[in-house]
């Protein structure tokens, strides 16, 4: 596809349905691993623009771009040096404008990642803070504190980084700064009005360039209790999200504090000033009843449901999660969200095959060999999980490569790992590189069509059979299953409820949507009878016994039409 890369004005989005996001399928693009237009081994915005036809043909409603801002890549781009520019390795603002215009021409919305909890250490503000004295206005934009001990040689608190180790790093003059993630990602101080004002400017900057919405990274961590003296947590594990289930709601010193909602109510006024209003979704690793607060109409409007991603391949557990999420979203005035994979977790083609209780990091450290995973069985289960997810009311978020059935690349050699988790944990946690390996577009070439040369993470040889080229037009392929599912999904109603069928065999999920569309998923290890109705689609493919024998095989989801 030839794309005009000349600068274009922001598109007129005034004709868009303001509620498009409530029942949307949103495709996450990790730009550095999607498509490489200039052949340097790193994906870029021109590569995204050139491959947007794939997303339009797939049938998604929007693409969400993980960070593409200037960054030293200390954390895969989530260390942002300039929130209102494009990393030169990924393109320019003109390239962004061209990509956005092409997406809108194809009927695709554009969502961008916003990373407000921390900046890069290369951000001009942090560089100014390092040059400035303790107590200066420059340091007030961040969280600087004197250390403990006779000479300030100890961190101010016992707070731990999410990635391992102390959440404090000492600077040359003896003070310490807070970093809940890598040391290259100093946390901002959201009590500082200059910080708040600058992010208002950032929101308007991207809205004015035609962006349709925002995914807010670590949305639950912005507000912090910084009253002196800072309080210790008493145990390293209380620095993680697990603490939120053991502490009183809103009482954690830096996660899920009540004050964070003032920030998002302020943002909503900005987002609602545009026609149509811009959407937003929170990445908030908090319990469901707390997550609903972020999804209120006067705040971000939607929040990721990670309980669904974390659930095992168990019918009773999934039913409980689905029911709870629908109730939580309804109570917040939002629509539910569903996600199986993203840039931070083991791909579900592999993850859903791990025995219950398996430590995924321990599995990665064995190169995916203990336990070994049956590749065909993993793909079958992943396809069934996908068809189940796409039948649920609400928004589905699809991670790039899901539509190809890509497994986790668990055996990446340690010398090629890029994720800071590997080094920061002293080689204890392997990290997230295995789900970030660049996509295969063709069955051959130096990077399977990703670019003209190699790729920044090595691709395994078996990627050839998962490529778009290998699956294009092949009946029963995972790519064609996604296309068929999304095409059918568009024809169903937008009702945001479901009705569970009363009597079902053990291990089976069975529900009906308001328009007579029925979804039956067999998570058990045995065949079960298929209810009456015309088979619209089966995750097992065209040779499935559902249509011919009325049998639903294990690890299979079927959509039925019962309107007749």
């Amino acid at each position: 596809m030839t794309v005009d890369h000349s600068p274009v004005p922001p598109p007129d989005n005034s004709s868009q349905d303001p509620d498009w996001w409530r029942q949307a399928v949103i495709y996450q693009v990790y730009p550095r691993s999607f498509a490489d237009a200039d052949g340097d081994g790193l994906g870029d915005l021109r590569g995204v623009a050139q491959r947007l036809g794939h997303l339009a043909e797939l049938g998604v409603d929007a693409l969400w771009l993980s960070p593409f801002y200037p960054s030293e890549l200390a954390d895969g781009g989530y260390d942002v040096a300039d929130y209102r520019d494009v990393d030169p390795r990924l393109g320019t603002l003109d390239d962004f404008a061209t990509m956005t215009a092409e997406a809108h021409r194809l009927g695709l919305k554009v969502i961008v990642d916003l990373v407000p909890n921390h900046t890069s250490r290369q951000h001009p503000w942090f560089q100014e803070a390092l040059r400035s004295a303790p107590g200066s206005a420059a340091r007030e934009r961040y969280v600087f504190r004197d250390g403990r001990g006779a000479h300030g040689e100890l961190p101010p608190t016992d707070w731990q980084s999410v990635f391992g180790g102390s959440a404090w790093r000492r600077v040359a003059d003896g003070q310490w700064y807070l970093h809940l993630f890598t040391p290259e990602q100093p946390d901002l101080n959201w009590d500082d009005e200059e910080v708040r004002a600058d992010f208002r400017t950032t929101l308007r900057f991207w809205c004015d360039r035609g962006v349709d919405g925002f995914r807010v990274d670590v949305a639950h961590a912005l507000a912090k209790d910084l009253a002196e003296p800072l309080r210790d947590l008493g145990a390293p594990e209380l620095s993680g999200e697990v603490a939120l289930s053991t502490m009183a709601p809103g009482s954690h010193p830096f996660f899920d504090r009540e004050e964070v909602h003032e920030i998002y109510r302020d943002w909503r006024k900005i987002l609602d000033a545009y026609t149509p209003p811009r959407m937003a979704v929170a990445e908030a690793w908090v319990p469901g009843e707390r997550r609903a607060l972020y999804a209120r109409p006067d705040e971000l409007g939607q929040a990721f449901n990670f309980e669904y991603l974390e659930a095992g391949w168990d019918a009773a557990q999934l039913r409980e999660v689905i029911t709870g999420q629908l109730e939580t979203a309804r109570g917040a005035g939002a629509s539910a969200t569903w996600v199986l994979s993203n840039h931070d977790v083991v791909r579900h083609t592999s993850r859903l095959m791990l025995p219950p209780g398996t430590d995924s990091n321990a599995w990665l450290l064995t190169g995916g060999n203990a336990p070994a995973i049956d590749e065909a069985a993993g793909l079958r289960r992943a396809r069934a999980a996908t068809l189940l997810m796409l039948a649920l009311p609400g928004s589905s978020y699809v991670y790039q490569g899901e539509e190809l059935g890509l497994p986790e690349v668990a055996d990446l050699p340690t010398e090629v790992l890029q994720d800071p988790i590997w080094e920061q944990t002293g080689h204890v946690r392997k990290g997230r590189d295995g789900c970030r390996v660049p996509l295969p577009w063709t069955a051959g070439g130096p990077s399977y069509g990703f670019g003209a040369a190699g790729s920044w993470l090595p691709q395994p040889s078996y990627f050839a059979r998962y490529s778009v080229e290998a699956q294009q037009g092949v009946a029963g392929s995972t790519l064609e299953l996604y296309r068929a599912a999304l095409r059918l999904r568009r024809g169903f109603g937008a009702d945001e409820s479901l009705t569970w069928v009363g009597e079902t065999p053990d291990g089976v999920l069975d529900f009906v949507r308001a328009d007579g569309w029925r979804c039956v998923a067999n998570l058990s290890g045995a065949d079960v009878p298929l209810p009456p109705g015309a088979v619209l689609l089966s995750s097992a493919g065209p040779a499935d016994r559902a249509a011919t024998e009325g049998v639903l095989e294990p690890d299979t989801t079927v959509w039925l039409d019962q309107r007749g």
Side-chain angles (χ1 to χ4, degrees):
M1 178 181 66
T2 302
V3 179
D4 180 5
H5 294 290
S6 59
V8 293
D12 177 9
N13 295 340
S14 59
S15 62
Q16 291 183 358
D17 175 6
D19 292 328
W20 66 267
W21 51 272
R22 295 187 71 93
Q23 297 293 312
V25 176
I26 298 167
Y27 185 101
Q28 181 187 359
V29 170
Y30 194 74
R32 291 168 174 82
S33 297
F34 189 69
D36 172 21
D38 61 11
D40 66 353
L42 196 67
D44 46 49
L45 294 186
R46 287 177 55 208
V48 175
Q50 291 171 0
R51 293 291 188 180
L52 286 176
H54 171 72
L55 303 189
E57 190 174 357
L58 189 62
V60 301
D61 299 289
L63 64 147
W64 147 34
L65 287 165
S66 291
F68 51 86
Y69 312 109
S71 171
E72 65 173 316
L73 300 182
D75 184 21
Y78 283 87
D79 47 317
V80 179
D82 186 340
Y83 290 92
R84 300 191 285 273
D85 204 352
V86 175
D87 192 306
R89 291 165 292 185
L90 273 67
T92 66
L93 283 171
D94 285 344
D95 291 330
F96 181 87
T98 300
M99 181 210 68
T100 302
E102 176 65 6
H104 287 157
R105 186 188 71 80
L106 292 169
L108 299 167
K109 314 296 189 296
V110 177
I111 298 168
V112 299
D113 227 312
L114 196 61
V115 189
N117 178 68
H118 45 260
T119 71
S120 165
R121 65 180 176 182
Q122 295 182 337
H123 192 287
W125 276 1
F126 192 68
Q127 291 301 306
E128 181 185 1
L130 292 180
R131 296 191 301 269
S132 302
S136 62
R139 290 206 174 178
E140 280 301 304
R141 300 184 188 119
Y142 294 89
V143 184
F144 278 87
R145 290 294 186 274
D146 292 331
R148 296 186 292 191
H151 305 287
E153 71 277 11
L154 300 176
T157 69
D158 65 357
W159 300 352
Q160 298 291 295
S161 161
V162 172
F163 290 164
S166 174
W168 297 94
R169 172 62 64 95
R170 203 175 191 189
V171 299
D173 60 25
Q175 276 206 313
W176 300 72
Y177 68 87
L178 179 67
H179 61 88
L180 291 182
F181 294 87
T182 71
E184 294 84 2
Q185 294 168 288
D187 278 47
L188 287 164
N189 172 19
W190 275 86
D191 290 340
D192 187 87
E193 178 53 36
E194 191 174 359
V195 170
R196 297 191 179 214
D198 194 70
F199 273 89
R200 295 185 194 109
T201 300
T202 294
L203 288 172
R204 294 187 180 100
F205 180 90
W206 293 110
C207 288
D208 290 344
R209 280 156 181 78
V211 161
D212 301 282
F214 298 88
R215 177 263 190 186
V216 183
D217 184 64
V218 198
H220 60 301
L222 277 60
K224 299 173 176 68
D225 178 7
L226 299 177
E228 296 290 351
L230 297 181
R231 52 192 170 104
D232 283 338
L233 283 165
E237 61 269 18
L238 293 181
S239 290
E241 283 81 5
V242 67
L244 299 179
S245 63
T246 61
M247 302 178 72
S251 67
H252 195 281
F254 51 80
F255 281 148
D256 192 36
R257 296 192 58 79
E258 297 296 338
E259 303 94 310
V260 78
H261 299 291
E262 301 171 10
I263 297 168
Y264 299 132
R265 283 191 287 271
D266 181 49
W267 286 14
R268 177 45 59 190
K269 294 174 185 176
I270 295 172
L271 301 179
D272 282 352
Y274 288 84
T275 304
R278 295 340 189 208
M279 64 80 70
V281 58
E283 182 207 28
W285 291 85
V286 299
E289 67 277 5
R290 297 290 296 177
R291 187 176 62 246
L293 304 179
Y294 297 81
R296 290 178 290 193
D298 66 339
E299 294 194 29
L300 295 177
Q302 198 173 61
F304 284 128
N305 164 25
F306 292 115
E307 286 95 335
Y308 188 75
L309 181 151
E310 294 174 331
W313 191 238
D314 177 87
Q317 184 182 13
L318 282 169
R319 177 166 174 163
E320 182 179 357
V321 168
I322 291 167
T323 300
Q325 167 62 359
L326 290 172
E327 292 175 352
T328 297
R330 190 178 305 114
S335 62
T337 63
W338 314 104
V339 58
L340 285 166
S341 287
N342 62 34
H343 64 291
D344 283 333
V345 300
V346 171
R347 286 186 177 274
H348 68 274
T349 303
S350 301
R351 188 184 72 249
L352 291 176
M353 290 302 297
L354 295 175
T358 300
D359 183 333
S360 61
N361 178 63
W363 176 74
L364 288 172
L365 289 172
T366 71
N369 293 314
I373 287 178
D374 183 322
E375 183 179 339
L379 182 56
R380 182 183 180 94
R381 185 169 287 184
R383 287 162 58 106
T386 293
L387 217 56
L388 171 63
M389 178 184 75
L390 293 176
L392 296 170
S395 296
S396 293
Y397 286 78
V398 174
Y399 180 51
Q400 66 177 41
E402 276 188 45
E403 77 279 17
L404 305 177
L406 290 183
E408 183 81 1
V409 183
D411 59 351
L412 285 172
T414 57
E415 62 267 19
V416 306
L417 297 180
Q418 304 287 320
D419 191 339
I421 288 177
W422 175 243
E423 293 296 338
Q424 196 157 329
T425 62
H427 301 174
V428 170
R429 291 167 56 194
K430 194 169 184 181
R432 302 157 293 178
D433 290 311
C435 66
R436 300 177 179 184
V437 175
L439 295 188
W441 294 92
T442 62
S447 61
Y448 300 105
F450 170 68
S455 59
W456 66 282
L457 283 172
Q459 301 157 300
S461 60
Y462 61 77
F463 262 31
R465 64 177 178 269
Y466 285 98
S467 68
V468 174
E469 180 183 48
Q471 299 190 49
Q472 178 89 21
V474 177
S477 70
T478 303
L479 175 59
E480 294 302 336
L481 174 70
Y482 269 74
R483 287 174 174 172
L486 295 181
R487 186 168 57 249
L488 284 168
R489 191 180 187 274
R490 284 182 179 273
F492 298 127
D495 182 78
E496 295 184 4
S497 63
L498 59 76
T499 301
W500 293 105
V501 174
E503 298 294 331
T504 57
D506 290 342
V508 172
L509 293 170
D510 190 351
F511 58 85
V512 179
R513 299 290 297 275
D515 52 7
W517 170 29
R518 187 168 179 175
C519 176
V520 190
N522 182 7
L523 283 65
S524 76
D527 292 348
V528 297
L530 188 68
V535 175
L536 295 170
L537 192 62
S538 169
S539 65
D544 182 37
R545 295 164 59 202
T548 58
E549 301 178 34
V551 171
L552 189 61
E553 298 175 323
D555 292 342
T556 303
T557 300
V558 168
W559 290 358
L560 299 173
D561 185 353
Q562 296 187 318
R563 289 173 292 187

